[in-house]
Structure formats: C-alpha cells, structure tokens
Amino acid sequence: MADPPGCCQPCATCPLCLYSCHWVTPKKRKGLETSKCDCSWFLFLFCIFLFTLVWLYIAIIILNDFHNFNEFIFKQTKLWLDWSLVLLIATATLITYSSVLVVLALCLQLCGQPLKLHWLHKTLLILTALVVAAAFTGLGIKWAEEWRSARISLQATGPFLHIGIVGGMTLLAWPLASFIYRTRNKGLKVFLLLVYCAVMIALYLAPLGITSPCIMEENELPPKPALVGHRGAPMLAPENTLMSLHKAVDCHVQVFETDVMVSADGVPFLMHDEELTRTTNVQAVFPERAALNSTAFNWTDLQQLDAGSWFLERRPFPTVQSLSDGDRYQVTKQRIPSLEQALEASKQSNISIMFDLRPENHSDYQSFVNATLKVILQSGIPLQQVLWLPDGFREEVKQRAPGVQQVYGRKRLQNEKEPLLHVNLPYQDMSSEEIRQYRQDNISVNLYVVNQPWLFSVLWCAGVSSVTTNACQVLKEMKHPIWLLPSSTYLMIWIVVDCASLLVILWAFLLLKKCSQRRRAAESETDVLLTKINSLMQE
C-alpha cells in the first residue's frame, strides 16, 4: 500500500514500528493489509482507552474521600500509606499507555498504513482491561457510595465534559473519513457512518439532560457555606488535639467537629478510633495493652501518650511537609485532650463544638452520656455552642440540657413529632433539590466530608448551610464557586460548540474526499502508464 501524499517515510514507518513492535521496511510494508482481526483489535484498543479514561475520572473524584480508605487499610493491616499516590500513578500509567497506542493507530490510519498490533501490546491491553475491571468491581463492592459521588461530580463537570467529548469525537472525524474513503466494503461504510452520526446527534443534544446547581444567575447564588473543622484542621495538625482546634480557628471555622470517648475512670476525652494505635504511641508505652479499646485506659494512662509525633512520621496528608519548624515542635508536644479542655478552648475562641459519643454499642453507654453531660454543664460554655450528635438517650439530654442544639444524622420524617432544626449527613445522601427544600424550610444542613473545591462549589450553589472538611485552609480562600454560568450563557456556548463541531466534521469529510479522488486519479494514470509500458515491452 503506497503512502499517501504528504505522509513522509519516517512519519509512516515510525508509528508502524512502535505499533507493531518491529521495524518494517517500505518493501515489507507493501504486502501488509489491515485484516478484519486487526480492525477488531483496534476496536478493542479504543474501548480499553475509553474504559481507562472513565476510571481516571473516577479516581480523581474519589480523592475527596481517600483519607477514609487510608484509615480503613490501616485498621486492617496496621500499615499506613497514602494509597492515593499508588492509585494515581497506576491510573496514569494505564491511561498513558492506551492513549499512545490509540494515537499511533490513528496516525497510521491517516497515513494509510496497516494496523498490525503486536502480540505484546495485545497481552498488555488484556491485562489493562482486567486491572481496570477489578478496580471497578472492588469500588462497587467495598465503596459503593462513591458511585453517588461520581453522579454528583457530573453536576460540576457535565458542561465541560460535554465540550471535551464533542471536541474529541470531532477530531475522530479525520481518521474515520480517511478509513471510509479507503475501504471498499460498502456495508462497513454505512454502518460506521450511521454509528458516528448517531453518537454525534446524541452529543449535540446532551445538554438537554445536563443539570447543575451552578447554572444560575449571579444574584441567585446562596451565601457561602460555613466551615466545620473535621477533627479540627487535620491537614495542619494532629487530629482531635488542641493544636488542631486552634488551627481550625485560624481557618475561620464556625464549628469544631470531634469524637468523644470516656476513660475507664469516667473522664471524657477526644478520640476517633476505638484503638489508640493510629494516633498515639501506645504500642511503645503500653505494648501489651495496645490492642485494647480506648475506653479501657484510665485518664492517667492516656496522659502519658504522645498524640502528635505520628503526624510527622506517617504524614497522613501532603501538607505535613510544608509545616514550619515551630509547628513541628508544637506537634511533638500534643497530648490527648479531655472534653473539658476542648470546651474551654472553644469557649475562648467563640466557636461551637459538635461531637459524637463513641462507642455507641458499649454496655455502659448511659454512664458515658451522664459523664459527658456533667462536663458540659460544669464547663460554663454557652449551651447553644454545643451541638449534640449522639442518638442514644437524646430525650434525657434534652431534659437535662435544653439549651444544647440537637443535630440529627437522618433526614426528616413525614410524621415528625417536632421539627428538625439541624441535620448532619454524608454529602452523597442529599440531592440539590432536597438541599434547596430544607433551606426554604429553615433547616440547617451540614454535609460531610467535603475537601475538594469542585464539590464545595456544587454544594455552595445548591445552598447547603455548612460543610465538614479536612481542608479548611483551602476552602476558606474560596470567595466564589469555581464556575457559575447564567443559563443564557450556557445556551450560547452549547450552540457555538455544536455548530463549530459540525462545520469541522463536514470540512474533514470534504477535504479527505478531494484527497481520495486525487489519489485515485493518480493511481489510475499510473496503471495506464504501466499498461502501455507492458504493451511496448511485449511488442
């Protein structure tokens, strides 16, 4: 097969050699043709490329919640590692490999070269498909709520994904037109054209199904959601420590969110995990008791533990590397704070405190509630600054401390006896429509855990009251959602993109049709000339 005009020998040979994994000279290339099997492998390659591209998108979305995954792995293996780096490196490798092969295949098609995929590439593509399929399966089994996160993300990325996909499919018109004008199979031509036209029509009309709370007028934008520090400011200081609380105050959070447990001698203290191994040096101080529940230790024992050095050793967040020398020194001095100390710090900083009381299934849970209430009432903190999350013995809490704000971890019921004023839910559990309805009904909605600016922007546009975050230092700097488009502007962008795409596609088909006609005319003249030469030689 001859190279078409404008396709130099190196341009044609190099992609073919990389795609086929061996050097193919022009003489050898003349006898090579793209078979049906080769076409099938190219289709498989293109599907794998799309498959890995979707996984890349999912991987970026789940970074918002990946710290939870790291904590889960630590509980199972007692090994701390930032698995998000592993995920991103592996995903980037797979998408780069499949992208390079797709680009090579398209270049070969434009140059009129055969698509002879080497067996090594075929093997690697099958392995890529298995790895990505395993990743999707694992996500669906162990982390199914992330599918809801992906749906929410489309509200932030939908308009831009539409533009990107239309652009990609528009560029695909060039190799498609080249293939259609080269092949002699009319049935295949008609099939490819019908499929391509159907896909493009669907894409052109896709904005009819794209919805986002950020498609609104500027004057309709709700107030910026308040920030709730998740265990303080865990990206800047060890979680559930007084340093973390003060760092959260520096980030202008309005609420310090924490977790409370009660020691064996009845002292409420701040701790999230049921074991002390992740956030203290209990294995060094009390090695024989390290696996015990946090509530099995008395307050004197707990005060002997270092609750800060792990933060520098394990680096749970990349921000740890940027800490100043003064902050690093302060980290090493952190101890497990009591609830009394946290209440005093909250009162002095004039912020609210919201907490869960753990573990809920403990046989002595009522005594935990009593001990916690006693500390709250004796602390002198204004009760309206205390937000109570635990469901156990809630009615007793209302009677003994009526000024405490009751926060519910559920949606309101149809036959609610008394109206809910505050709800605290995972961000995946509430739609934009529900958030707007709750806002109209004067119900404060706090959603957790929101770390990424894109997610914060969507919830801001939806009208959420507040968000619990690990990244208060990032979200406090946001003065505006990442994007906000009036519906009229989005309509104009939609029309311009679709029209530009249609014009480029028509231009590609017309231009390649002319090139095809010229090539056929040249081939015809060559055939006539060769026929005359053969006739003269025979005479």
Side-chain angles (χ1 to χ4, degrees), residues 173-186:
W174 290 86
L176 177 65
S178 175
F179 178 80
I180 286 175
Y181 289 131
R182 290 178 189 278
T183 186
R184 297 177 181 178
N185 190 326
K186 293 184 178 179

Side-chain angles (χ1 to χ4, degrees), residues 42-167:
F42 172 73
L43 180 61
F44 179 70
L45 165 61
F46 193 72
C47 291
I48 295 301
F49 167 71
L50 296 179
F51 200 32
T52 52
L53 199 61
V54 172
W55 174 249
L56 174 64
Y57 178 82
I58 297 294
I60 293 173
I61 295 306
I62 64 178
L63 288 180
N64 181 81
D65 306 314
F66 221 83
H67 187 70
N68 297 339
F69 180 77
N70 291 339
E71 289 184 1
F72 171 77
I73 295 296
F74 180 85
K75 289 179 182 178
Q76 305 301 317
T77 64
K78 303 304 178 186
L79 173 67
W80 183 269
L81 180 66
D82 187 1
W83 292 97
S84 62
L85 292 176
V86 178
L87 173 73
L88 289 178
I89 292 172
T91 303
T93 301
L94 295 178
I95 191 65
T96 301
Y97 174 67
S98 58
S99 300
V100 169
L101 286 182
V102 168
V103 171
L104 288 174
L106 295 179
C107 290
L108 289 173
Q109 177 57 43
L110 284 172
C111 290
Q113 302 304 312
L115 303 179
K116 296 293 181 180
L117 188 65
H118 194 265
W119 65 266
L120 179 61
H121 287 319
K122 295 176 182 178
T123 304
L124 292 176
L125 285 175
I126 292 173
L127 289 176
T128 299
L130 292 175
V131 169
V132 178
F136 274 114
T137 303
L139 186 68
I141 295 174
K142 292 293 185 180
W143 216 0
E145 63 268 21
E146 291 306 312
W147 292 117
R148 288 179 287 167
S149 301
R151 287 196 293 270
I152 293 172
S153 73
L154 293 176
Q155 298 179 15
T157 61
F160 308 100
L161 283 178
H162 169 250
I163 294 173
I165 295 172
V166 168

Side-chain angles (χ1 to χ4, degrees), residues 174-453:
W174 290 86
L176 177 65
S178 175
F179 178 80
I180 286 175
Y181 289 131
R182 290 178 189 278
T183 186
R184 297 177 181 178
N185 190 326
K186 293 184 178 179
L188 184 59
K189 286 183 180 181
V190 173
F191 174 75
L192 290 176
L193 281 174
L194 287 177
V195 170
Y196 186 74
C197 290
V199 171
M200 292 309 301
I201 291 172
L203 287 175
Y204 289 157
L205 299 179
L208 294 174
I210 294 177
T211 60
S212 172
C214 291
I215 299 178
M216 62 164 60
E217 300 294 331
E218 182 78 29
N219 56 11
E220 297 175 349
L221 181 66
K224 181 179 178 179
L227 300 181
V228 177
H230 185 229
R231 308 173 198 171
M235 288 188 176
L236 306 176
E239 65 181 60
N240 284 334
T241 61
L242 294 181
M243 180 183 178
S244 190
L245 187 153
H246 293 307
K247 288 291 185 181
V249 171
D250 294 340
C251 289
H252 307 146
V253 304
Q254 294 187 11
V255 181
F256 170 58
E257 186 276 339
T258 186
D259 306 277
V260 175
M261 292 189 176
V262 179
S263 67
D265 53 348
V267 178
F269 63 96
L270 307 191
M271 181 60 57
H272 175 268
D273 296 1
E274 293 190 5
E275 295 181 9
L276 299 168
T277 51
R278 183 175 64 88
T279 57
T280 71
N281 63 338
V282 66
Q283 290 176 317
V285 180
F286 304 110
E288 71 285 352
R289 302 167 59 193
L292 294 179
N293 192 287
S294 303
T295 58
F297 294 80
N298 60 45
W299 181 239
T300 304
D301 292 339
L302 292 171
Q303 283 295 278
Q304 298 180 46
L305 300 178
D306 178 355
S309 296
W310 70 273
F311 186 70
L312 299 176
E313 295 167 0
R314 294 178 183 148
R315 297 183 178 182
F317 297 98
T319 48
V320 178
Q321 300 177 2
S322 61
L323 292 181
S324 66
D325 293 338
D327 283 344
R328 289 176 179 272
Y329 175 77
Q330 190 179 353
V331 164
T332 62
K333 298 301 180 183
Q334 295 305 300
R335 294 293 181 267
I336 298 175
S338 66
L339 177 60
E340 181 182 0
Q341 293 171 324
L343 290 170
E344 181 62 28
S346 298
K347 182 172 65 173
Q348 292 180 359
S349 302
N350 194 29
I351 65 170
S352 299
I353 181 169
M354 177 171 66
F355 60 86
D356 253 328
L357 186 57
R358 300 171 179 270
E360 296 87 346
N361 57 354
H362 199 281
S363 59
D364 207 17
Y365 192 72
Q366 186 171 9
S367 68
F368 290 178
V369 173
N370 293 335
T372 302
L373 273 178
K374 181 180 178 181
V375 171
I376 292 173
L377 294 173
Q378 291 178 351
S379 67
I381 189 173
L383 294 183
Q384 65 269 20
Q385 286 183 227
V386 178
L387 284 68
W388 186 274
L389 278 172
D391 285 326
F393 305 97
R394 191 184 288 273
E395 293 303 320
E396 181 180 336
V397 174
K398 290 180 180 179
Q399 292 176 6
R400 293 180 57 186
V404 169
Q405 298 190 60
Q406 298 295 324
V407 183
Y408 294 83
R410 61 171 175 81
K411 297 180 183 180
R412 59 182 173 182
L413 306 174
Q414 290 184 350
N415 55 347
E416 201 76 57
K417 293 182 180 179
E418 55 182 88
L420 275 67
L421 297 180
H422 307 277
V423 295
N424 181 61
L425 294 167
Y427 71 88
Q428 300 100 331
D429 287 359
M430 290 202 78
S431 65
S432 298
E433 293 73 20
E434 288 176 315
I435 293 173
R436 291 193 190 99
Q437 188 60 52
Y438 275 49
R439 184 164 174 262
Q440 291 175 5
D441 297 339
N442 294 320
I443 299 175
S444 174
V445 176
N446 180 70
L447 300 182
Y448 62 90
V449 173
V450 178
N451 300 317
Q452 297 294 327

